[in-house]
Amino acid sequence: MEALKRQAAARALEQVEGGMKLGLGTGSTARHFVDLLGEKVRGGMNVIGVPTSEATRAQAEQCGIPLTSLDEVDRLDLTVDGADEVDPALDLIKGGGGALLREKIVAAASDRMIVIADETKWVDALGRYPLPVEVVPFGLGATRRAMETAFAAAGVSGQMVLRKGKDGHVFVTDGGHWIVDGHLGRIADAPRLAGLLNAIPGVVETGLFVGLASTVILAGASGIRVVERR
């Protein structure tokens, strides 16, 4: 599986040119891309990156990739990131690693977003993977009740689980928020659900990335498949 992820990352790297401003994704597949980009930078390629998490920042610094922030640059040429699920419309579920808010901010500030993944992430409909929803800790009960109402209005239902870290304590994002994972099974209308959830005051952001990915690179046993947004 790691070999497949690295193949997808290598194909995405072919889209990177000197002088580009890049969004650097978070997660196991994006980590391969940052590694390979670091090799290019050490070989003389001139790029600058905006990391989507503190973990990616630390990795990029270790790889010698120059970094900046969205306070210092207006737009990014390209973001390369992974996904937990991808559907045929190239809508995504992201946030399994807990970095969904920064990942979405960076993707939205980019001219293009390339998603790299192994073929197991391709699904007919989103929702088999639990949907991460980043929330403010204050008023969590009210937020969860509002989320239940939003789920019902979008025609989905399922258990909501407050994410815990490996230490058993509540998982805290880089932004100081919590994550509620919705086990929904199948999401028939991702754009509608995203809109309903984002209207809830206690919701910071959802892991539904709608209309952001321009290209998906899937690596499988039979090779690389590239899917472009229609």
Side-chain angles (χ1 to χ4, degrees):
M1 192 62 75
E2 292 305 310
L4 293 179
K5 291 175 179 179
R6 202 164 186 88
Q7 287 175 30
R11 177 62 71 91
L13 189 62
E14 295 174 7
Q15 299 295 311
V16 176
E17 300 172 4
M20 276 189 166
K21 293 171 286 197
L22 303 171
L24 306 177
T26 295
S28 59
T29 311
R31 205 158 33 236
H32 286 291
F33 177 78
V34 174
D35 271 344
L36 294 171
L37 180 65
E39 291 176 11
K40 287 281 192 182
V41 168
R42 291 192 295 275
M45 177 178 270
N46 173 35
V47 296
I48 194 163
V50 173
T52 54
S53 66
E54 293 307 311
T56 298
R57 175 185 302 281
Q59 184 199 0
E61 287 174 346
Q62 195 171 19
C63 289
I65 300 169
L67 298 177
T68 185
S69 73
L70 291 174
D71 296 320
E72 295 165 333
V73 294
D74 292 336
R75 292 287 296 174
L76 301 176
D77 299 295
L78 174 66
T79 285
V80 178
D81 207 344
D84 299 303
E85 282 190 338
V86 185
D87 73 8
L90 301 197
D91 292 335
L92 319 168
I93 284 182
K94 286 179 55 56
L100 62 144
L101 177 59
R102 292 190 185 184
E103 287 172 334
K104 190 174 281 189
I105 290 170
V106 170
S110 303
D111 293 338
R112 285 192 300 149
M113 180 188 191
I114 295 179
V115 173
I116 51 177
D118 64 84
E119 62 186 357
T120 65
K121 303 300 194 298
W122 184 265
V123 296
D124 291 333
L126 300 177
R128 184 178 63 195
Y129 191 92
L131 172 65
V133 180
E134 189 160 340
V135 298
V136 177
F138 177 84
L140 179 61
T143 299
R144 288 177 66 137
R145 289 190 289 275
M147 286 173 61
E148 280 183 6
T149 302
F151 288 162
V156 298
S157 64
Q159 186 182 13
M160 284 186 283
V161 178
L162 183 62
R163 188 180 296 186
K164 301 286 182 69
K166 291 176 183 174
D167 59 2
H169 294 107
V170 174
F171 177 87
V172 180
T173 69
D174 285 342
H177 306 125
W178 292 355
I179 291 179
V180 174
D181 290 305
H183 296 254
L184 304 176
R186 184 182 179 89
I187 300 170
D189 190 340
R192 174 165 168 73
L193 179 57
L196 289 166
L197 289 171
N198 279 321
I200 297 169
V203 168
V204 180
E205 191 50 82
T206 81
L208 289 168
F209 281 52
V210 175
L212 287 170
S214 50
T215 305
V216 173
I217 299 173
L218 296 166
S222 57
I224 297 280
R225 179 159 70 107
V226 179
V227 186
E228 301 280 356
R229 177 172 293 279
R230 300 189 191 92

